[in-house]
Amino acid sequence: MASLCFQSPSKPISYFQPKSNPSPPLFAKVSVFRCKASVQTLVAVEPEPVFVSVKTFAPATVANLGPGFDFLGCAVDGLGDHVTLRVDPSVRAGEISISEITGTTTKLSTNPLRNCAGIAAIATMKMLGIRSVGLSLDLHKGLPLGSGLGSSAASAAAAAVAVNEIFGRKLGSEELVLAGLESEAKVSGYHADNIAPAIMGGFVLIRNYEPLDLKPLRFPSEKDLFFVLVSPNFEAPTKKMRAALPTEIPMVHHVWNSSQAAALVAAVLEGDAVMLGKALSSDKIVEPTRAPLIPGMEAVKKAALEAGAFGCTISGAGPTAVAVIDSEEMGQVIGEKMVEAFWKVGHLKSVASVKKLDKIGARLVNSISR
Amino acid sequence: MASLCFQSPSKPISYFQPKSNPSPPLFAKVSVFRCKASVQTLVAVEPEPVFVSVKTFAPATVANLGPGFDFLGCAVDGLGDHVTLRVDPSVRAGEISISEITGTTTKLSTNPLRNCAGIAAIATMKMLGIRSVGLSLDLHKGLPLGSGLGSSAASAAAAAVAVNEIFGRKLGSEELVLAGLESEAKVSGYHADNIAPAIMGGFVLIRNYEPLDLKPLRFPSEKDLFFVLVSPNFEAPTKKMRAALPTEIPMVHHVWNSSQAAALVAAVLEGDAVMLGKALSSDKIVEPTRAPLIPGMEAVKKAALEAGAFGCTISGAGPTAVAVIDSEEMGQVIGEKMVEAFWKVGHLKSVASVKKLDKIGARLVNSISR
């Protein structure tokens, strides 16, 4: 489990502690800091900013994907968070400040150590060894909190990519995932199935954490894949959702779910949306324990399948329901039926949207050169 | 579970019972027979033989493949069983007789109802609705029994394909797998992870049994994959091997093994032998319980990996060890080290062979036209 220690809540936060040695080594190691964190400085020479300001976007993500529980996720286009990051002489060198949070929520802390974007930005600065430049960050939330669409990961991904971009893109995507994981570890547990696709786009398989080993799974570019995302007005009881998970599972269910996860991967790589949907729908371990905790979910799945969806399951830990289909028009029809079922059976209002697979991941939206 | 009933041991065996109706319908249903079996007649008009005689070959198979336990298998070239099948006027119409069994074992029954090749041939004849022709079958075993290389499946596959070929190839490969499953169900349990690759070649993912749903996974034709197969002189205690399997497994191991199975499928489809080996080696559920029952197996795996193998695990339920590599020369070196480890640690003599992935499956070797 990664850890970020909590200092007295001063802000802006410097993650570089003052040192007695006036000329610190260029290749600083994490061990010189009072706060032990899992990320290390990875560049030998502190980079200079190549932009005065950058704006980035990171997409929503659907994790778990039925039998892909805890190791598979994908990014969906057109929903997500924005970060604007500026070189700010009013912020002390080596420090970061969160200036503004707008969008779907105002509940978030502007203390960088208590904010997903802040934690990921700090970790990225640490990897880059930034000591000479102060930054300020604006976060625009496009995603609601606790929807099961990777809201925290989107903020973290947008922030990590923003820091990397402003300093000339010195880090690779796996390193940025590690930075984002610092944030996920604090907010929702050390899991990469949202942050990895939020940064890398497409589908990403998490093969290992020690060391982190990610396998992007390329959905063929010439094929279409649409996600029908239906988010009910309901706060999923996160603790109950976790507690509902069995600690021991029958061998027969393990074999079944593994084979469906295997089929899911084959479907992604071959661009077979029908097989993908079927595999996504086939979870016998997690969905059966979680779905009853979301009013109407079972009826919503049934409605989606009856309306022609190739498959349907819970997005992340819910409460959003996700169905897959290969046409936007069909997606609209399916979405209406799912909203109807949430209302009729679960007595919940919900909102549907039909989104494409995001094949790019977190990205630079615009920039102002120095 | 499929079932084939056992009549009084008369041979040759007719699977078509005499009926009171002198002119049976052309599209016979299994329900008209006293013996209820899971296969049905699938062709509307009884086909005539197009050959007097055929000879077929079916390859050895490696099932389980580490985290692919019970749903993934592949075929290996150059090892396997042969069947020679003849139209034989001395055998009563609609019946089959096993004339001769040669090769690695003479222990097998020549009663078609108690022989893998016989059971699969009978099931295939039933699917084709053969009532007017008698057949005789010779089986040449290239595979030893109980080695973990799909010996029973190879015999069944060669026989099913032989019957299909002699009558003009009316059945598809999934139907032949169903015929072969009749035999597997009797001999080693209703599992398709040997019989499916033995018939179809390459890697095959078993997605479902009800109904049977197979997904061939195509390893890229331009890439090489070699299996180092090391069979020790040891009879694997089948009952103990089965009993060693846990009935309940920790969630954390389920997630790990599923993610490795997913990686294994990605590796196959992308032709990434290194990733394939790593995934194959990563089983935390089955291999750790079975390996200690095969003297020296853990040391053999270690020796294979130290000699450069990309991965190593138990083939099927053992006792054969299987390692993967992308060059035949390296395979020879790895095989020697594995044999050495079986001897030094397990005190078992063993034989190594290096074989390519078989991408074809059971096939016609030669035929004599009418």
Side-chain angles (χ1 to χ4, degrees), chain B residues 113-186:
Chain B
L113 277 182
R114 299 185 185 279
N115 177 293
C116 302
I119 298 169
I122 288 169
T124 312
M125 288 174 77
K126 185 175 284 179
M127 284 177 166
L128 290 168
I130 303 304
R131 284 180 295 273
S132 314
V133 176
L135 299 170
S136 66
L137 183 154
D138 294 345
L139 171 63
H140 183 76
K141 291 292 301 174
L143 290 172
L145 301 180
S147 58
L149 289 170
S151 176
S152 61
S155 296
V161 168
V163 173
N164 194 38
E165 290 289 340
I166 213 165
F167 289 105
R169 206 183 286 187
K170 304 291 182 202
L171 301 174
S173 56
E174 292 224 1
E175 292 158 339
L176 295 176
V177 172
L178 276 175
L181 261 171
E182 290 289 298
S183 163
E184 291 289 83
K186 176 74 192 78

Side-chain angles (χ1 to χ4, degrees), chain A residues 202-216:
Chain A
F203 290 85
V204 184
L205 166 62
I206 320 299
R207 293 171 61 196
N208 205 347
Y209 283 97
E210 295 292 343
L212 186 66
D213 189 348
L214 307 172
K215 169 69 191 156

Side-chain angles (χ1 to χ4, degrees), chain A residues 207 215 247 249 251 270, chain B residues 215 247 249 251 260 270:
Chain A
R207 293 171 61 196
K215 169 69 191 156
T247 52
I249 54 170
M251 182 66 153
E270 295 186 350
Chain B
K215 169 69 189 155
T247 51
I249 54 170
M251 183 67 155
Q260 302 311 307
E270 294 185 351

Side-chain angles (χ1 to χ4, degrees), chain A residues 67 69-72 205-209 213 215-218 245-267 269-270 272 274-275 278-279 285-286, chain B residues 67 69-72 205-209 213 215-218 245-267 269-270 272 274-275 278-279 285-286:
Chain A
F69 175 70
D70 254 12
F71 63 87
L72 200 58
L205 166 62
I206 320 299
R207 293 171 61 196
N208 205 347
Y209 283 97
D213 189 348
K215 169 69 191 156
L217 302 172
R218 192 176 167 279
L245 294 176
T247 52
E248 297 270 323
I249 54 170
M251 182 66 153
V252 65
H253 285 178
H254 160 66
V255 171
W256 171 262
N257 260 42
S258 290
S259 68
Q260 302 311 307
L264 187 52
V265 167
L269 292 175
E270 295 186 350
D272 184 337
V274 175
M275 179 161 58
K278 202 170 168 184
I285 296 174
V286 176
Chain B
F69 176 69
D70 254 13
F71 63 87
L72 199 58
L205 166 62
I206 319 300
R207 293 171 61 198
N208 205 347
Y209 283 98
D213 189 348
K215 169 69 189 155
L217 302 171
R218 193 176 167 278
L245 294 176
T247 51
E248 296 271 321
I249 54 170
M251 183 67 155
V252 64
H253 284 177
H254 160 65
V255 170
W256 171 262
N257 260 42
S258 290
S259 68
Q260 302 311 307
L264 187 52
V265 167
L269 292 175
E270 294 185 351
D272 184 336
V274 174
M275 177 160 61
K278 202 171 168 184
I285 296 173
V286 177

